Amino acid sequence: MSFFEPAPEPPTKLGRYRLLSPLAGVHVSPLVLGAMSIGDRWSKFGMGSMTKEDSFKLLDAYYDKGGNFIDTANNYQDETSERFIGEWAEERGIRDQLFIATKYTMGYKRATPLAQKVMYTGNNAKSLRISVEESLQKLRTSYIDLLYVHWWDWDTSIEEVMRSLHALVLSGKVLYLGVSDTPAWVVSKANLHAREYALSPFVIYQGMWNVMDRSFERDIIPMARYEGLALAPWNVVGGGKFRTDEEEERRRTTGERGRTIIDQNWERNEREKIISRALEKVAAEVGAKHITSGMSFRDAFVIILTKSVAMAIAYVMQKTTYVFPIIGGRKVEHLEANIEALSIALSEGQIEFLESVVDFDIGPRPMLISGAHLEPKPRAQPIRPISD
């Protein structure tokens, strides 16, 4: 074998790794495996849960298909998410091949009979220390690849948060820092503080974003571009609400409702139906391209048309740079359907169509029109699959 022989082709496009962000030189899979369902404690909350066996099966499938980026939190499934991931990685002996993200802030001792639980929540230095030490034990590791601030608690100062997080990076217990569901101005000010005092910055932002809810575009995406942050959007497929009419009727018949943690009504509202049908229309167009490229009609229909959620994932990945969608689900077939997004190249016209079917007000944008015609400022473009 030649020393310069290229690496073998990965089993799927999960194994075509991407630079995390301009501030983080690590390379990770383009889709993040969300581990909110991994664990066995939250079925009664409408979130769904998994046995250890099923959790390991999903983790195995993600890893075997080339995936290396797993997202969990200190409180997911009452701490069993971290425990299952840690046990699985230890059994397979693959810890250093993985990029594991977890979070602190959330009060994660809800199911534990402690007399006082106040020290186990918030962004303060005490909560951070306790949470990280326990996450390390549950994950059976000596370091966390990416630690998120789960949400902003409005009590702890930016200075305390950034100093405390930096101390963890210096200790080697945490490698990279992220922030989730926090106002853009807080993140920007926190990274400015980090630059001024030579502290570790946030390198990635996590928050809710999909083709139906585009509020990310108002402040978060411009902030991320300016600060050099990656984006890890959750709820990309609308909490499972992006589905065909036929799928909804099937669930009505079988009683399989899906997740209800965000919305107790498992059925789609009119807005969700409009978006679903638009995604289905684009899926049909993409499926037609696959047929003309040699794929059979049946395969194109099964892989593309019936899994139009892949269009919703492709949409966010092709809107801006450094986007790593968090994909959930509890079944291997869900994972396989989501991976299809990495092969879908949406045209500008298709993106414009998806954005046209429901209203979105991006808010006021000042225009530099003082007696001159200005060309738009060039921007870095997202990675797109090559169209057939």
Side-chain angles (χ1 to χ4, degrees), residues 54-67:
D54 287 339
S55 296
F56 282 24
K57 187 181 298 183
L58 182 63
L59 289 164
D60 280 339
Y62 178 73
Y63 173 79
D64 291 340
K65 293 177 186 297

Side-chain angles (χ1 to χ4, degrees), residues 33 35 37-40 49-65 70 80-94 98 138-140 329-332 335:
L33 182 63
S37 293
I38 290 177
D40 59 5
S49 62
M50 304 171 69
T51 64
K52 185 184 291 187
E53 180 183 3
D54 287 339
S55 296
F56 282 24
K57 187 181 298 183
L58 182 63
L59 289 164
D60 280 339
Y62 178 73
Y63 173 79
D64 291 340
K65 293 177 186 297
I70 300 172
T80 59
S81 178
E82 285 185 322
R83 288 194 177 98
F84 284 10
I85 292 167
E87 184 177 338
W88 166 77
E90 184 178 70
E91 279 189 9
R92 291 199 66 158
I94 58 173
L98 303 173
K138 287 177 285 186
L139 289 168
R140 304 189 184 196
R330 302 191 299 275
K331 300 177 181 178
V332 174
L335 171 63

Side-chain angles (χ1 to χ4, degrees), residues 34 62-63 138 142 166 175 200 229 232 238 241 246 267 323 363:
Y62 178 73
Y63 173 79
K138 287 177 285 186
S142 60
H166 181 64
L175 304 186
S200 303
L229 270 65
K241 294 293 187 70
E246 292 77 11
E267 294 183 288
V323 178

Side-chain angles (χ1 to χ4, degrees), residues 31-254:
L31 298 178
V32 185
L33 182 63
M36 189 180 282
S37 293
I38 290 177
D40 59 5
R41 300 292 175 84
W42 279 6
S43 58
K44 61 185 176 182
F45 299 120
M47 182 62 235
S49 62
M50 304 171 69
T51 64
K52 185 184 291 187
E53 180 183 3
D54 287 339
S55 296
F56 282 24
K57 187 181 298 183
L58 182 63
L59 289 164
D60 280 339
Y62 178 73
Y63 173 79
D64 291 340
K65 293 177 186 297
N68 69 357
F69 194 171
I70 300 172
D71 179 270
T72 186
N74 60 357
N75 69 309
Y76 286 173
Q77 298 286 340
D78 287 344
E79 305 183 63
T80 59
S81 178
E82 285 185 322
R83 288 194 177 98
F84 284 10
I85 292 167
E87 184 177 338
W88 166 77
E90 184 178 70
E91 279 189 9
R92 291 199 66 158
I94 58 173
R95 169 63 188 98
D96 289 343
Q97 298 177 45
L98 303 173
F99 191 80
I100 299 176
T102 192
K103 310 175 190 75
Y104 88 107
T105 304
M106 193 70 74
Y108 63 100
K109 292 298 184 183
R110 184 191 61 81
T112 305
L114 295 174
Q116 295 187 16
K117 300 181 181 181
V118 68
M119 296 300 180
Y120 298 86
T121 190
N123 294 335
N124 60 82
K126 171 86 170 183
S127 167
L128 173 63
R129 177 183 174 85
I130 296 171
S131 180
V132 167
E133 291 297 332
E134 291 202 19
S135 288
L136 290 170
Q137 293 175 22
K138 287 177 285 186
L139 289 168
R140 304 189 184 196
T141 185
S142 60
Y143 67 97
I144 294 165
D145 296 286
L146 171 61
L147 179 68
Y148 282 102
V149 173
H150 207 154
W151 40 261
W152 200 248
D153 70 5
W154 299 107
D155 283 336
T156 313
S157 69
I158 287 173
E159 292 78 9
E160 179 180 348
V161 169
M162 300 312 287
R163 284 197 308 267
S164 301
L165 289 171
H166 181 64
L168 279 173
V169 174
L170 289 181
S171 73
K173 293 180 179 180
V174 172
L175 304 186
Y176 295 101
L177 304 176
V179 60
S180 173
D181 299 295
T182 294
W185 73 265
V186 174
V187 180
S188 189
K189 187 171 182 180
N191 269 22
L192 174 61
H193 181 75
R195 287 193 295 272
E196 288 180 336
Y197 291 92
L199 305 177
S200 303
F202 294 126
V203 303
I204 187 169
Y205 182 95
Q206 185 174 139
M208 189 178 76
W209 178 31
N210 58 53
V211 66
M212 186 174 64
D213 187 341
R214 296 167 52 206
S215 53
F216 235 48
E217 294 181 29
R218 295 193 181 99
D219 297 310
I220 299 302
I221 291 178
M223 177 276 296
R225 285 190 183 123
Y226 184 83
E227 295 289 345
L229 270 65
L231 297 168
W234 56 271
N235 205 37
V236 172
V237 297
K241 294 293 187 70
F242 299 161
R243 63 176 81 108
T244 63
D245 295 344
E246 292 77 11
E247 172 64 14
E248 183 137 316
E249 182 58 35
R250 186 191 68 80
R251 294 190 182 198
R252 193 175 291 114
T253 302
T254 63

